[in-house]
């Protein structure tokens, strides 16, 4: 594997800071687009389903683009991929700014999805996973997940402030400017990728995919991550509207989502430290089961500002805390050479779930004028995902295991 002198000379903490900044800005903006549901649909005179479809397509394009962005980053480095995806994001924001019909929103959603596919956690987690030594890999990956949480915590109030004081259209202009700042930030990670996982035999893309697709635990992990996407995207897009539907003040939804971001920082940190105490597959089962229990609260507890914010705070602990153990399992199975690409395929399942969660949220609400069906579906899927992760075999494939054995003998 070729190496990048610029990356190899930089301390790990600085690379984490650079990648974390890119991920935080990109994911923070993406996770906060639900704030535009009501102003955009009101301005265009449309129902919630068209906006939900556009945001669902964002999630789907993030997933479809992730394996390709990951493969390019694994082969050539992250810099140019980040720049191209930043330009796609800016174009998507412009289409929403100038939208006059639901079709403009669809184009906007697809372009923004392509943009996040190369600037989000999924594609860039391999950059850090490759450079961190195995004993620090889970905590390094967790730092990137924490950056996404910090991004959401900062982006929500900032975007809400901009929408309130300059209007939803002018706020999108500000988002274009902020997004463009990622282009110079990406320069230090523009070199060829570095691999530090020892003498495991290099693989072609075809060999890596064939090995992964034959591995039963990889399929269980992929199926379980569908549920994570369903949960997270449904909440991020529909919670602000849900709180207003419950007769709560307009500030409750943004504040609750900000609390999710704060709690996510804690939860993701704990997930990154958990490798010393619990198997990654067991941790994932517990996370999904805990989510299922918390979703019951939205069905049976009285909806007050305190209730919503408390539930979201607890939910935030189990938010992006799925990323360190999920991506860590990919590295455990197959090593880090094609980590971004292989995690990208797992993330594709996540984004198919995200598409379903966002679109079904809008569809079922328009049909029933209630989110109750979505809460029940979220509970059921949480239990199913907990069961799917339990039988995963948490060990490397024979190719990686043989390399590790040879290294230990040497």
């Amino acid at each position: 594997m070729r190496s990048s002198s610029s990356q190899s000379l930089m301390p790990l903490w600085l690379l984490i800071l650079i990648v974390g900044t890119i991920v935080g800005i990109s994911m923070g903006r993406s996770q906060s687009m639900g704030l535009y549901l009501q102003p955009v649909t009101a301005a265009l005179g449309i129902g919630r389903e068209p906006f939900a479809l556009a945001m669902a397509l964002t999630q789907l394009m993030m997933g479809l683009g992730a394996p390709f962005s990951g493969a390019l980053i694994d082969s050539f480095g992250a810099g140019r991929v980040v720049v191209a995806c930043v330009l796609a994001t800016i174009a998507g924001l412009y289409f929403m700014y100038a939208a006059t019909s639901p079709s403009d929103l669809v184009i906007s959603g697809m372009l923004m999805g392509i943009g996040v596919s190369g600037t989000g956690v999924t594609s860039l987690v391999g950059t850090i996973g490759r450079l961190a030594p195995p004993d620090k890999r889970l905590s390094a990956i967790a730092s990137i997940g924490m950056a996404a949480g910090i991004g959401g915590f900062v982006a929500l109030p900032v975007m809400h402030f901009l929408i309130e004081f300059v209007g939803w259209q002018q706020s999108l202009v500000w988002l274009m400017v902020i997004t463009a700042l990622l282009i110079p930030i990406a320069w230090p990670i523009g070199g060829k990728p570095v691999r530090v996982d020892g003498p495991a035999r290099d693989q072609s893309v075809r060999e890596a995919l064939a090995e992964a697709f034959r591995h039963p635990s990889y399929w269980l992990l992929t199926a379980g991550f569908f549920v994570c996407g369903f949960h997270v995207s449904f909440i991020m897009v529909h919670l602000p509207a849900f709180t207003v539907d419950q007769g709560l003040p307009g500030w409750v939804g943004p504040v609750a989502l900000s609390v999710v971001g704060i709690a996510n920082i804690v939860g993701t940190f704990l997930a990154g430290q958990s490798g010393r105490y619990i198997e990654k597959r067991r941790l994932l089962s517990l996370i999904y089961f805990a989510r299922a229990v918390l979703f019951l609260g939205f069905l049976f507890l009285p909806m007050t500002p305190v209730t919503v914010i408390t539930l979201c705070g607890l939910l935030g602990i189990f938010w992006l805390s799925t990323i360190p153990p999920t991506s860590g399992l990919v590295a455990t199975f197959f090593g880090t050479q094609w980590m971004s690409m292989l995690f990208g395929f797992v993330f594709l399942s996540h984004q198919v779930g995200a598409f379903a969660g966002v679109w079904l949220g809008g569809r079922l609400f328009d049909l029933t004028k209630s989110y109750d069906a979505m809460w029940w579906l979220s509970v059921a899927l949480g239990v199913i995902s907990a069961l799917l992760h339990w039988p995963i075999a948490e060990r490397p494939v024979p190719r990686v295991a043989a390399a590790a054995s040879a290294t230990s003998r040497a």
Side-chain angles (χ1 to χ4, degrees):
M1 176 72 69
R2 295 158 293 188
S3 66
S4 162
S5 57
S6 62
Q7 290 180 26
S8 61
L9 292 174
M10 296 175 68
L12 181 61
W13 70 265
L14 184 55
L15 286 167
I16 290 174
L17 179 62
I18 292 168
V19 173
T21 300
I22 295 170
V23 167
I25 292 175
S26 180
M27 295 293 290
R29 179 202 53 75
S30 177
Q31 292 171 13
S32 305
M33 292 305 294
L35 295 175
Y36 288 89
L37 188 154
Q38 290 184 308
V40 171
T41 55
L44 298 184
I46 57 178
R48 292 184 185 179
E49 184 181 358
F51 185 90
L53 175 61
M55 294 300 98
L57 287 170
T58 297
Q59 304 300 324
L60 187 61
M61 294 306 297
M62 285 169 60
L64 290 172
F68 297 100
S69 296
L72 290 172
I73 290 172
D74 287 337
S75 298
F76 305 110
R80 280 171 284 187
V81 176
V82 169
V83 171
C85 289
V86 164
L87 295 176
T89 299
I90 292 171
L93 291 168
Y94 176 78
F95 267 91
M96 182 174 287
Y97 165 83
T100 58
S101 68
S103 62
D104 293 328
L105 295 180
V106 167
I107 296 171
S108 169
M110 294 178 69
L111 286 169
M112 286 192 285
I114 293 170
V116 182
S117 75
T119 56
V121 173
T122 308
S123 53
L124 294 176
V125 75
T127 301
I128 295 302
R130 227 183 332 267
L131 293 171
D135 61 322
K136 296 181 179 179
R137 185 171 295 146
L138 203 63
S139 59
I141 292 171
S143 299
I144 304 305
M146 290 167 63
I150 294 170
F153 168 64
V154 174
L156 275 163
V158 169
M159 289 169 62
H160 185 253
F161 173 85
L162 289 173
I163 291 170
E164 290 293 321
F165 286 93
V166 302
W168 69 267
Q169 282 185 302
Q170 290 303 312
S171 72
L172 291 170
V173 175
W174 280 94
L175 291 184
M176 291 182 223
V177 174
I178 294 169
T179 303
L181 297 176
L182 296 182
I183 293 176
I185 292 174
W187 178 80
I189 57 171
K192 301 290 185 180
V194 178
R195 200 180 85 209
V196 295
D197 60 342
R201 179 177 61 84
D202 281 355
Q203 291 180 299
S204 67
V205 172
R206 185 188 298 269
E207 289 172 333
L209 292 176
E211 182 180 65
F213 292 163
R214 290 194 303 265
H215 196 54
S217 290
Y218 183 71
W219 284 109
L220 291 172
L221 189 68
T222 301
F225 214 37
F226 170 95
V227 178
C228 183
F230 187 98
H231 286 165
V232 169
S233 296
F234 164 60
I235 293 291
M236 294 305 300
V237 172
H238 290 282
L239 184 72
F242 167 78
T243 58
V244 173
D245 294 340
Q246 298 297 310
L248 301 179
W251 58 265
V252 174
V255 168
L257 292 179
S258 295
V259 171
V260 169
I262 297 171
N264 171 70
I265 298 169
V266 177
T268 306
F269 172 78
L270 294 175
Q273 304 301 312
S274 66
R276 288 172 279 179
Y277 310 107
I278 185 173
E279 289 182 306
K280 292 182 278 292
R281 60 187 181 124
R282 302 292 191 226
L283 176 62
L284 286 166
S285 290
L286 293 174
I287 287 172
Y288 287 110
F289 183 75
R291 285 187 186 180
V293 172
L294 290 171
F295 288 137
L296 290 172
F298 289 97
L299 286 162
F300 294 109
L301 294 177
M303 288 296 100
T304 67
V306 172
T307 303
V308 171
I309 292 170
T310 300
L311 285 172
C312 285
L314 295 172
L315 193 59
I317 296 173
F318 307 106
W319 202 244
L320 298 183
S321 56
T322 57
I323 291 177
T326 301
S327 57
L329 280 170
V330 174
T332 296
F333 296 155
F334 310 115
T336 61
Q337 181 182 3
W338 294 103
M339 182 178 174
S340 292
M341 180 185 69
L342 294 178
F343 184 49
F345 277 100
V346 180
F347 185 70
L348 173 57
S349 173
H350 182 282
Q351 294 311 104
V352 172
F355 176 92
V358 174
W359 176 74
L360 270 177
R363 179 64 173 168
L364 292 177
F365 181 87
D366 282 352
L367 288 174
T368 66
K369 305 305 178 186
S370 170
Y371 284 111
D372 284 359
M374 285 298 295
W375 293 122
W376 280 115
L377 188 55
S378 296
V379 170
L381 288 174
V383 173
I384 290 170
S385 185
L387 295 174
L388 284 173
H389 285 89
W390 199 260
I392 286 175
E394 192 168 325
R395 57 178 177 268
V397 297
R399 174 185 59 85
V400 177
S405 177
T407 300
S408 64
R409 288 198 300 270

